[in-house]
Amino acid sequence: MKLALNQISPNPINEAIYSTTEIEDLEWSLKTHGQLEPIVLTKDHTLISGHRRFYAIKRLGWKECDVRIQDPKNVIVSLIE
């Protein structure tokens, strides 16, 4: 399923767990091959998995991306795993 980027919220807990890394290689891959894996969101469109992809897609100026919705029992565990 596709969703507009402006409907997706990064998870603030992700910033505390992981540092933002250089994403130029990921941007190149997205431009060259397209989005091969959807980002994973909660029902309220908060990111669980795919933060780097999300930021790379935004930097490329895309308006939407492929997403998959999950309903995890524990969002923090899902972020880590």
Side-chain angles (χ1 to χ4, degrees), residues 10-50:
N11 193 314
I13 298 169
N14 188 73
E15 299 299 320
I17 297 172
Y18 302 105
S19 63
T20 304
T21 59
E22 296 298 318
I23 58 175
E24 287 82 14
D25 288 344
L26 185 52
E27 286 179 40
W28 176 85
S29 178
L30 286 162
K31 278 194 280 190
T32 304
H33 306 291
Q35 184 183 356
L36 301 176
E37 290 290 325
I39 61 173
V40 182
L41 308 174
T42 62
K43 289 180 181 180
D44 69 352
H45 299 168
T46 300
L47 264 161
I48 298 173
S49 178

Side-chain angles (χ1 to χ4, degrees), residues 2-3 5 8-9 12 23 27 29 31-33 41 43 48 50 66 74-75 77 79:
K2 294 223 183 255
L3 191 66
L5 296 183
I8 299 171
S9 300
I23 58 175
E27 286 179 40
S29 178
K31 278 194 280 190
T32 304
H33 306 291
L41 308 174
K43 289 180 181 180
I48 298 173
D66 295 319
N74 187 318
V75 173
V77 170
L79 279 168

